[in-house]
Amino acid sequence: MRKRRKTVKLQRDAAHRRSLLANLTCSLIQHGKIRTTLAKAKALRPVAEKMVTLGKRGDLHARRQAVAFLQQKDAVKALFETIAPAAADRQGGYCRITKLGARTSDSAPMALIEWVDAPATVEAEEAAEA
């Protein structure tokens, strides 16, 4: 019997896909928004939202689960200290995907994925860079 496909494979094996999603999640946590292909953004959103849910839980086990997946302690620290408190009153839907159009080199559909409740520190850093 045909079942619905639950995982977007992104033409990678399981270990490569897991590493890709972990690195994209870390980049999203550290930079607040990232520009990537639409397929990767759609695959990233459930993973990033699960990490925010772990951050909102805030206990030691949740922190260890986040470190086990993300493999970067500074990203986990930023997740638990800035991003999760900013989304504390939201019940879900922590990420926003905005379509940007086609990439010029290969016409791949591009998207911008960002936090809906952007922490003030990310916006202050962007203002300081500009």
Side-chain angles (χ1 to χ4, degrees):
M1 173 185 277
R2 188 179 74 76
K3 306 283 190 205
R4 287 189 179 187
R5 184 176 54 176
K6 295 181 182 175
T7 304
V8 177
K9 293 193 176 180
L10 301 174
Q11 302 203 357
R12 290 161 170 83
D13 60 354
H16 189 187
R17 186 171 53 249
R18 187 175 190 278
S19 296
L20 172 80
L21 292 174
N23 287 328
L24 284 172
T25 306
C26 288
S27 296
L28 182 61
I29 290 168
Q30 291 169 348
H31 300 291
K33 58 184 174 182
I34 55 173
R35 184 175 181 266
T36 183
T37 62
L38 183 61
K40 287 179 187 175
K42 286 182 176 182
L44 171 63
R45 181 170 30 190
V47 174
E49 292 189 356
K50 285 174 190 169
M51 290 295 119
V52 174
T53 303
L54 286 176
K56 284 173 61 175
R57 243 180 45 205
D59 56 347
L60 180 63
H61 183 59
R63 189 175 291 265
R64 285 180 175 166
Q65 284 179 315
V67 169
F69 182 76
L70 297 177
Q71 300 284 321
Q72 295 182 17
K73 290 183 181 179
D74 55 341
V76 173
K77 184 177 179 182
L79 172 69
F80 276 74
E81 292 179 358
T82 60
I83 294 169
D89 57 342
R90 186 175 289 274
Q91 293 294 316
Y94 310 114
C95 296
R96 173 187 304 129
I97 295 176
T98 307
K99 294 180 182 178
L100 296 177
R103 185 164 50 195
T104 52
S105 62
D106 60 353
S107 297
M110 298 300 287
L112 180 77
I113 183 166
E114 61 187 345
W115 300 115
V116 173
D117 296 320
T121 57
V122 172
E123 294 170 1
E125 289 173 1
E126 289 177 0
E129 290 176 3

